[in-house]
Amino acid sequence: MGKHPHIIKLDRSNGQREIVANHWLRVAEGCDDTIPAHTLLPLKEWLERRDELLGRADVGIWFGPDDEPEALGQDAARLSIIAVDFPAFTDGRGFSIGRLLRERYGFAGELRAVGDVFKDTLLYLRRCGFDAFEIRADKDVEEAAKGLDDFSEFYQGAADQPLPLFRRRGG
């Protein structure tokens, strides 16, 4: 699977972002017996090899749009990275997957959006708990990062800011 050479990473504690090299390789399926460091496996393959891989911080999972976070369950909280594939701009299932991983399954590691990810989607992805963004290869990563600045305040609570505005303002 192709990848952009750089990703946008957010520090969830302070909102600061940086563009860094993308060291992770997302594989489609059928890894050999030895899985190299910095590999993102499909959920199904990771589940088949769960006992072998659970303790490895250098191996992560990626969810397709048809995958269910319930299949991973509480193991999510023990992983360092999970990627969620957005195969098309019109497919929003990954937003729900991200929120479920953060809010129901306690995932605190890097939650990366991959696939059809570009400037106009970044802010909404962040609101759902994503903190790393692998921009489409045909898009400029510096320009895409500006999408995180489209709005400075939000009325609703979300994964990135649980309290609604009226609660944050003391009302």
Side-chain angles (χ1 to χ4, degrees):
M1 301 183 117
K3 70 175 189 172
H4 198 286
H6 294 92
I7 62 166
I8 302 165
K9 287 188 78 163
L10 289 178
D11 182 330
R12 290 188 305 144
S13 67
N14 63 20
Q16 296 296 311
R17 67 173 176 255
E18 62 181 337
I19 296 171
V20 299
N22 183 3
H23 297 292
W24 290 85
L25 177 65
R26 184 167 50 115
V27 297
E29 59 184 55
C31 262
D32 296 332
D33 289 336
T34 304
I35 298 172
H38 299 107
T39 299
L40 295 169
L41 293 173
L43 174 64
K44 180 182 177 196
E45 187 160 341
W46 188 91
L47 289 171
E48 290 169 358
R49 299 174 74 170
R50 176 192 180 277
D51 293 339
E52 167 193 353
L53 299 173
L54 191 56
R56 286 190 59 183
D58 63 343
V59 174
I61 296 174
W62 68 268
F63 278 80
D66 293 326
D67 292 330
E68 297 291 338
E70 293 82 8
L72 183 59
Q74 299 307 315
D75 283 343
R78 299 172 64 186
L79 297 171
S80 63
I81 181 171
I82 297 175
V84 178
D85 184 33
F86 290 81
F89 171 72
T90 56
D91 191 335
R93 293 174 285 180
F95 291 95
S96 299
I97 292 170
R99 281 201 75 163
L100 286 168
L101 288 168
R102 288 282 191 223
E103 296 172 2
R104 186 176 295 169
Y105 297 105
F107 179 63
E110 179 181 308
L111 185 56
R112 182 182 292 200
V114 300
D116 195 12
V117 177
F118 53 96
K119 180 181 179 180
D120 293 347
T121 61
L122 296 192
L123 189 60
Y124 304 106
L125 289 164
R126 185 185 89 196
R127 300 285 293 151
C128 290
F130 288 87
D131 57 2
F133 314 93
E134 186 177 315
I135 305 303
R136 271 184 13 197
D138 65 328
K139 300 292 183 186
D140 179 278
V141 70
E142 298 276 348
E143 181 63 27
K146 294 176 185 174
L148 292 165
D149 300 327
D150 285 348
F151 298 98
S152 61
E153 195 64 76
F154 305 96
Y155 291 111
Q156 311 89 340
D160 67 335
Q161 174 49 266
L163 293 176
L165 182 62
F166 75 93
R167 293 269 188 236
R168 294 189 309 264
R169 297 245 168 124

